[in-house]
């Protein structure tokens, strides 16, 4: 049995004064239900995730207290992919025919803080006191080494950012809707060398939701179901170079993104060469570049030529982060992965408006990645 | 009387003329990690021994932290914040250790350069003791 996506809903990402994360979650959920043409009473299993909301399932009282199992789930930046996986698994396990996945968040401005108690992350307090345990710092160090090993230039970093804001400008739901010039990006201040202000995403606010059902029942609800061909979650192997690790072994092992994407391609029987559109975690441009290779789109170092030739733009060989990605939408952690899936569904349905990938795309891919070394990869198709 | 104390007991040998970081070596598979932990992240073994790590290594990657890290947990002075270097230094034991660097000038940092361990004052505790933190500095030219 397979699982299909029959309804998608988004509360646009950005800054929404006076609107709580949960209120955004309710909006996204209701939009997904309306898109599927069903009511909350028809949902038999729910999964919700958030970093900031203590217990997202309390939104139940705004949706309707129907007694269904409602699972809360949080796995850092991989939460979105994992929410859909969990909802799909409930259907596959026979827990119900219709399930919903809802992600929501609302972060304060500025770099994410790991908080005041590092013991909760398995780390010594000294590590944070001393000014390590900072996400942008780590992402920059990983990018620095990757550029050194694989001949990626600063020019490539700027072009990836330019593409993100170009796509954002074409997306009415994006947070940052202004294209930036090459110079604006290249001359923006360094945050952590080699990465600059416009190379990074920012924490933001928003929500997204997906309604799923047994694939053999999808035709009851919609004429354009999107099928989940694979959805795989992986945590880091010993030897993967990950954030918040005071030491890593010199013998490197592949990242969880490699593990998750390879397993997803295998489960789907679809390879990276078959993809028509892809969304990858672009916390900053360095990671979009690294993820292109980790997810098998190209070999290490080939990103330089791909990006220069515009192959990752809409209309290129493999359009990446067509809605502007994290750079143009920001990252409400609990919702981000579902935003990617929402975008791929729009693209595969042919409903992506000004940013529609030409040629009637049939197969899409999404990928989230983050602390402490977690990744989800999905393969979706019409 | 105020004195110099490590920011965290067990991170490095102190007091010492030639301080060394303290890591764990797995009694089963031999993998080394920092800081000391009782179990092995490589083979899931539950027996490790604490060992002093090499004082010298090579810079594997680096960055300059140009904005004050979020506080908490950062406790450095935000008003007088000066950007600082951070890197991973690869040691002979086959482990890369994350560390602050003593220099914050990109022109003085290059992947592959030789680095050496130092222990320096970081801040003062409520009793006036200087809390000491490890860092790596470019190795003195021979
Ligand atoms: Zn071991």
């Amino acid at each position: 049995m397979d699982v299909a996506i029959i309804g998608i809903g988004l509360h646009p990402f950005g800054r929404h004064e006076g609107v709580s994360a949960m209120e955004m979650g309710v909006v996204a959920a209701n939009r997904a239900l309306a898109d599927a043409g069903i009511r909350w009473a028809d949902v038999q299993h729910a999964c919700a995730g958030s970093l900031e909301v203590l217990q997202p399932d309390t939104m139940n009282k705004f949706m309707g207290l129907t007694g269904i199992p409602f699972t809360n789930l949080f796995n850092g930046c991989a939460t979105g992919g994992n929410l859909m996986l969990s909802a799909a698994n409930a259907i596959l396990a026979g827990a119900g025919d219709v399930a919903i996945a809802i992600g929501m968040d609302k972060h304060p401005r500025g770099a994410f803080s790991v908080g005041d108690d590092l013991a909760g992350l398995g780390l010594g307090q000294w590590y944070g006191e001393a000014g390590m345990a900072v996400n942008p710092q780590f992402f920059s160090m990983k990018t620095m080494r990757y550029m050194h090993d694989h001949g990626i230039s600063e020019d490539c970093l700027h072009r990836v950012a330019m593409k993100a804001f170009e796509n954002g400008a074409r997306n009415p739901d994006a947070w940052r809707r202004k294209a930036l010039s090459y110079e604006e990006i290249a001359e923006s201040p360094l945050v952590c060398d080699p990465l600059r202000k416009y190379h990074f995403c920012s924490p933001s606010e928003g929500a997204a939701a997906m309604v799923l059902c047994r694939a053999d029942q999808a035709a009851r609800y919609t004429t354009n179901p999107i099928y989940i061909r694979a959805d795989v979650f992986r945590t880091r192997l010993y030897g993967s170079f990950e954030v918040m690790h005071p030491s890593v072994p010199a013998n490197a092992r592949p990242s969880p993104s490699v593990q998750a994407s390879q397993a997803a391609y295998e489960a789907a029987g679809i390879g990276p060469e078959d993809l028509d559109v892809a969304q990858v975690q672009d916390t900053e441009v360095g990671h979009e570049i690294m993820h292109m290779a980790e997810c098998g789109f190209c070999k290490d170092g080939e990103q330089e030529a791909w990006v220069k030739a515009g192959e990752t733009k809409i209309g290129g060989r493999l359009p990446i982060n067509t809605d502007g990605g994290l750079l143009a939408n920001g990252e409400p952690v609990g919702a981000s992965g579902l935003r990617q899936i929402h975008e791929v569904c729009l693209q595969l349905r042919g409903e992506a408006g000004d940013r529609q990938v030409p040629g009637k795309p049939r197969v899409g891919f999404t990928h989230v990645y983050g602390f402490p070394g977690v990744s989800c990869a999905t393969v979706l198709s019409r | 009387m105020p004195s110099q104390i490590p920011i965290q007991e067990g991170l490095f040998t102190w007091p010492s003329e030639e301080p060394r970081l303290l890591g764990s070596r797995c009694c089963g598979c031999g993998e080394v990690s920092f800081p000391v932990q009782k179990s092995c992240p490589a083979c899931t073994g539950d027996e490790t021994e604490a060992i002093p790590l090499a004082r010298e290594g090579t810079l594997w990657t680096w960055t300059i932290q140009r904005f004050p890290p979020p506080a908490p947990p950062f406790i450095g002075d935000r008003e007088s914040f000066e950007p600082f270097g951070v890197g991973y230094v690869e040691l002979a034991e086959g482990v890369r250790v994350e560390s602050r660097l003593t220099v914050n000038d990109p022109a003085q940092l290059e992947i592959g350069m030789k680095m050496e361990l130092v222990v320096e004052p970081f801040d003062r505790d409520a009793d006036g003791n200087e809390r000491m933190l490890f860092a790596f500095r470019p190795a003195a030219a021979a």
Side-chain angles (χ1 to χ4, degrees), chain A residues 145-228:
Chain A
R145 180 72 200 195
Y146 191 85
M147 292 170 75
H148 173 268
D149 283 348
H150 299 292
I152 302 297
S153 67
E154 288 189 28
D155 172 76
C156 188
L157 306 181
H158 306 328
R159 288 174 189 269
V160 169
M162 232 170 102
K163 184 259 299 168
F165 294 114
E166 273 169 24
N167 290 353
R170 294 159 76 167
N171 173 8
D173 287 330
W175 179 22
R176 307 204 184 279
R177 301 209 52 216
K178 185 172 160 287
L180 295 177
S181 72
Y182 186 94
E183 289 69 29
E184 280 175 293
I185 294 162
E187 289 162 16
S188 66
L190 280 163
V191 173
C192 289
D193 311 42
L195 298 178
R196 298 172 182 275
K197 178 181 171 185
Y198 290 128
H199 292 155
F200 279 95
C201 84
S202 305
S204 72
E205 310 172 8
M210 305 289 126
V211 177
L212 314 180
C213 82
R214 288 173 51 146
D216 59 1
Q217 298 178 357
R220 291 186 197 171
Y221 303 101
T222 179
T223 54
N224 55 9
I226 304 299
Y227 298 99
I228 304 173

Side-chain angles (χ1 to χ4, degrees), chain A residues 70-290:
Chain A
F70 197 137
T71 304
N72 296 312
L73 176 161
F74 184 71
N75 282 100
C77 302
T79 300
N82 222 359
L83 283 169
M84 193 172 79
L85 174 63
S86 193
N89 279 344
I91 293 172
L92 293 173
D97 296 338
V98 177
I100 190 167
I102 311 157
M104 66 202 83
D105 249 318
K106 185 181 183 81
H107 305 299
R109 286 163 212 276
F112 280 112
S113 166
V114 291
D116 56 2
D117 181 16
L118 273 72
L121 302 174
L123 293 163
Q125 197 64 27
W126 65 273
Y127 182 62
E129 289 177 346
M132 294 182 273
V134 181
N135 288 339
Q137 186 187 91
F138 172 82
F139 296 141
S140 300
M141 287 194 281
K142 193 169 167 189
T143 300
M144 179 78 86
R145 180 72 200 195
Y146 191 85
M147 292 170 75
H148 173 268
D149 283 348
H150 299 292
I152 302 297
S153 67
E154 288 189 28
D155 172 76
C156 188
L157 306 181
H158 306 328
R159 288 174 189 269
V160 169
M162 232 170 102
K163 184 259 299 168
F165 294 114
E166 273 169 24
N167 290 353
R170 294 159 76 167
N171 173 8
D173 287 330
W175 179 22
R176 307 204 184 279
R177 301 209 52 216
K178 185 172 160 287
L180 295 177
S181 72
Y182 186 94
E183 289 69 29
E184 280 175 293
I185 294 162
E187 289 162 16
S188 66
L190 280 163
V191 173
C192 289
D193 311 42
L195 298 178
R196 298 172 182 275
K197 178 181 171 185
Y198 290 128
H199 292 155
F200 279 95
C201 84
S202 305
S204 72
E205 310 172 8
M210 305 289 126
V211 177
L212 314 180
C213 82
R214 288 173 51 146
D216 59 1
Q217 298 178 357
R220 291 186 197 171
Y221 303 101
T222 179
T223 54
N224 55 9
I226 304 299
Y227 298 99
I228 304 173
R229 307 292 295 269
D231 189 346
V232 176
F233 174 44
R234 288 287 185 271
T235 62
R236 67 204 183 283
L237 289 169
Y238 177 72
S240 181
F241 185 43
E242 301 295 342
V243 66
M244 311 278 167
H245 282 56
S247 78
V248 288
N251 268 334
R253 301 277 297 283
S255 80
S257 300
V258 174
Q259 309 291 329
S261 59
Q262 284 183 354
Y265 295 136
E266 197 166 310
I270 290 173
E273 65 283 355
D274 302 318
L275 304 178
D276 300 316
V277 58
Q279 315 294 312
V280 302
Q281 179 88 22
D282 57 329
T283 312
E284 20 61 44
V285 294
H287 272 74
E288 176 164 322
I289 292 166
M290 290 184 272

Side-chain angles (χ1 to χ4, degrees), chain A residues 273-357:
Chain A
E273 65 283 355
D274 302 318
L275 304 178
D276 300 316
V277 58
Q279 315 294 312
V280 302
Q281 179 88 22
D282 57 329
T283 312
E284 20 61 44
V285 294
H287 272 74
E288 176 164 322
I289 292 166
M290 290 184 272
H291 289 148
M292 287 170 63
E294 292 186 9
C295 296
F297 306 161
C298 65
K299 293 197 174 68
D300 287 317
E302 289 179 355
Q303 300 97 326
E304 183 78 15
W306 270 54
V307 169
K308 199 158 203 169
E311 300 288 19
T312 63
K313 291 184 177 185
I314 293 164
R317 190 191 323 187
L318 178 59
I320 296 177
N321 294 334
T322 44
D323 63 354
L326 275 75
L327 255 64
N329 290 281
E331 187 183 26
V333 171
S336 196
L338 291 178
R339 191 249 322 139
Q340 293 181 333
I341 294 165
H342 182 273
E343 171 65 8
V344 166
C345 288
L346 283 182
Q347 292 287 351
L348 299 186
R349 288 173 171 189
E351 296 172 358
D354 285 348
R355 64 184 189 284
Q356 179 64 48
V357 168

Side-chain angles (χ1 to χ4, degrees), chain A residues 111-112 130-141 144 190-195 200, chain B residues 62-70 74 78 81-87 98-101 103-106 109:
Chain A
F112 280 112
M132 294 182 273
V134 181
N135 288 339
Q137 186 187 91
F138 172 82
F139 296 141
S140 300
M141 287 194 281
M144 179 78 86
L190 280 163
V191 173
C192 289
D193 311 42
L195 298 178
F200 279 95
Chain B
W62 59 274
T63 188
I64 308 296
Q65 177 66 37
R66 293 184 182 269
F67 66 94
F74 182 57
R78 301 174 69 80
F81 177 79
E82 284 286 333
F84 58 87
V86 183
E98 186 178 4
S99 174
R100 285 178 64 134
L101 307 176
V103 295
N104 66 0
D105 174 8
L109 293 168

Side-chain angles (χ1 to χ4, degrees), chain B residues 13-21 52-53 55-56 117-119:
Chain B
T13 57
W14 191 258
S16 171
E17 288 286 304
E18 290 204 331
R20 308 268 293 265
L21 294 176
L53 301 178
R55 296 192 64 237
E56 297 190 344
L117 185 77
V118 292
V119 168

Side-chain angles (χ1 to χ4, degrees), chain B residues 10-114:
Chain B
L11 275 188
F12 46 85
T13 57
W14 191 258
S16 171
E17 288 286 304
E18 290 204 331
R20 308 268 293 265
L21 294 176
L22 292 169
S24 290
R25 180 161 52 207
C26 175
C27 300
C29 72
E31 279 290 320
V32 172
S33 57
F34 169 84
V36 168
Q37 69 173 50
K38 291 195 181 98
S39 54
C40 173
C43 74
T44 74
D46 58 6
E47 202 182 339
T48 63
E49 56 177 347
I51 57 164
L53 301 178
R55 296 192 64 237
E56 297 190 344
T58 55
L59 189 60
W60 190 73
T61 188
W62 59 274
T63 188
I64 308 296
Q65 177 66 37
R66 293 184 182 269
F67 66 94
F74 182 57
I75 57 168
D77 186 357
R78 301 174 69 80
E79 296 302 312
S80 63
F81 177 79
E82 284 286 333
F84 58 87
V86 183
Y88 275 83
V89 177
E90 187 166 322
L91 306 178
E93 290 84 0
V95 63
R96 296 171 186 148
V97 172
E98 186 178 4
S99 174
R100 285 178 64 134
L101 307 176
T102 59
V103 295
N104 66 0
D105 174 8
Q108 294 181 46
L109 293 168
E110 194 179 351
I111 287 174
M113 71 190 289
K114 298 284 179 219

